Amino acid sequence: MIKIAPSILSADFSRLGEDIESVSAAEFIHIDVMDGCFVPNISIGIPVVKSIRKVTAQIFDVHLMIVEPQKYVKQFCMAGADIVTVHIEASSEESIISALKIIRECGKKAGLSVKPGTPAKDLIPFLDYVDMILVMTVEPGFGGQKFMADMLPKIREIKQLTSKPIEVDGGVDFETGKLCIEAGAEILVAGSFVFKSENRNETINKLRCV
Ligand code: DX5
Ligand code: ZN
């Protein structure tokens, strides 16, 4: 079944609890953590994850766009994350494997993400340590960017490499979401498309069935 993960990067942070309640039809809540170093933007961190954990039982899908994620993954798990995704480009192979191991030791699901420029084959050494692959369909850092259709062959390639679920992130709407599902994605992250829509839950339910 297709799962939808609204990205709260497009929410109104002055009323974050209510905005999360407004996407109750979604299976996941996608939380973008940016450090101003791995990506040229800064967003939210551990205390916010901890606070919003109180307002919903939905699965917290934490996307870490930070360098040296192995230093912080445990704290995100403790704060209430259910899935913690790190970037393959964020540290050495050894440190990324260590981050993935820590996430699993905490009893959580470990995700691994690739930026648009990173080829599918780079995932191979990590596949035994991951529960989900996150394919970026925009350059990470900002919401509201245009979907990169040239990422569709990469989704297909990853689908050949592993049976682990594939999530896509960036520029997802009804049209691009459908293309991603056809290519093999099972989880769609959608930020601006969901939060800017008039009826968010209706948009989520439609996106699941494109
Ligand atoms: C970008 C983030 C995305 C972003 C998606 O770096 O990882 O999760 O919020 O936003 P949209 O759906 O608006 O492209
Ligand atoms: Zn994201």
Side-chain angles (χ1 to χ4, degrees):
M1 201 192 109
I2 304 301
K3 296 186 178 80
I4 308 300
S7 163
I8 59 166
L9 193 61
S10 292
D12 177 349
F13 287 114
S14 72
R15 32 167 293 157
L16 190 51
E18 291 150 67
D19 267 9
I20 290 171
E21 280 163 22
S22 77
V23 294
S24 58
E27 289 82 4
F28 293 2
I29 297 294
H30 185 83
I31 303 167
D32 288 306
V33 176
M34 303 179 183
D35 65 354
C37 188
F38 184 71
V39 287
N41 197 6
I42 297 177
S43 59
I44 53 169
I46 298 150
V48 176
V49 176
K50 205 171 166 188
S51 294
I52 59 174
R53 188 65 282 180
K54 295 177 213 137
V55 306
T56 179
Q58 281 155 293
I59 292 167
F60 275 5
D61 171 31
V62 176
H63 178 192
L64 296 182
M65 286 162 276
I66 65 173
V67 294
E68 305 300 338
Q70 73 281 2
K71 294 181 185 164
Y72 303 100
V73 286
K74 190 172 179 187
Q75 290 179 73
F76 280 98
C77 291
M78 305 291 282
D82 299 293
I83 305 167
V84 179
T85 296
V86 299
H87 266 268
I88 200 170
E89 309 88 356
S91 191
S92 65
E93 181 175 324
E94 195 189 358
S95 298
I96 294 301
I97 289 176
S98 141
L100 297 166
K101 283 184 176 169
I102 296 168
I103 298 164
R104 282 183 161 181
E105 276 162 21
C106 289
K108 312 292 181 169
K109 298 248 190 279
L112 187 60
S113 184
V114 276
K115 294 209 285 186
T118 303
K121 67 167 176 45
D122 287 15
L123 289 163
I124 294 169
F126 303 91
L127 291 175
D128 285 345
Y129 306 97
V130 300
D131 302 298
M132 182 185 87
I133 306 293
L134 170 56
V135 179
M136 289 308 300
T137 44
V138 297
E139 282 300 337
F142 301 91
Q145 302 181 76
K146 193 178 176 299
F147 179 81
M148 297 168 74
D150 48 343
M151 292 301 109
L152 293 167
K154 184 154 94 180
I155 300 170
R156 287 193 201 96
E157 225 180 301
I158 296 169
K159 193 78 190 158
Q160 297 299 314
L161 291 177
T162 177
S163 57
K164 311 266 165 93
I166 300 173
E167 179 178 53
V168 288
D169 186 4
V172 170
D173 58 21
F174 292 144
E175 195 187 322
T176 58
K178 188 177 163 65
L179 296 173
C180 290
I181 293 167
E182 283 167 359
E186 283 174 44
I187 305 153
L188 305 181
V189 176
S192 46
F193 187 62
V194 165
F195 280 99
K196 281 187 182 156
S197 70
E198 214 144 281
N199 187 331
R200 293 169 180 171
N201 277 336
E202 198 180 285
T203 302
I204 289 163
N205 289 331
K206 278 191 188 163
L207 192 54
R208 198 183 289 111
C209 303
V210 284

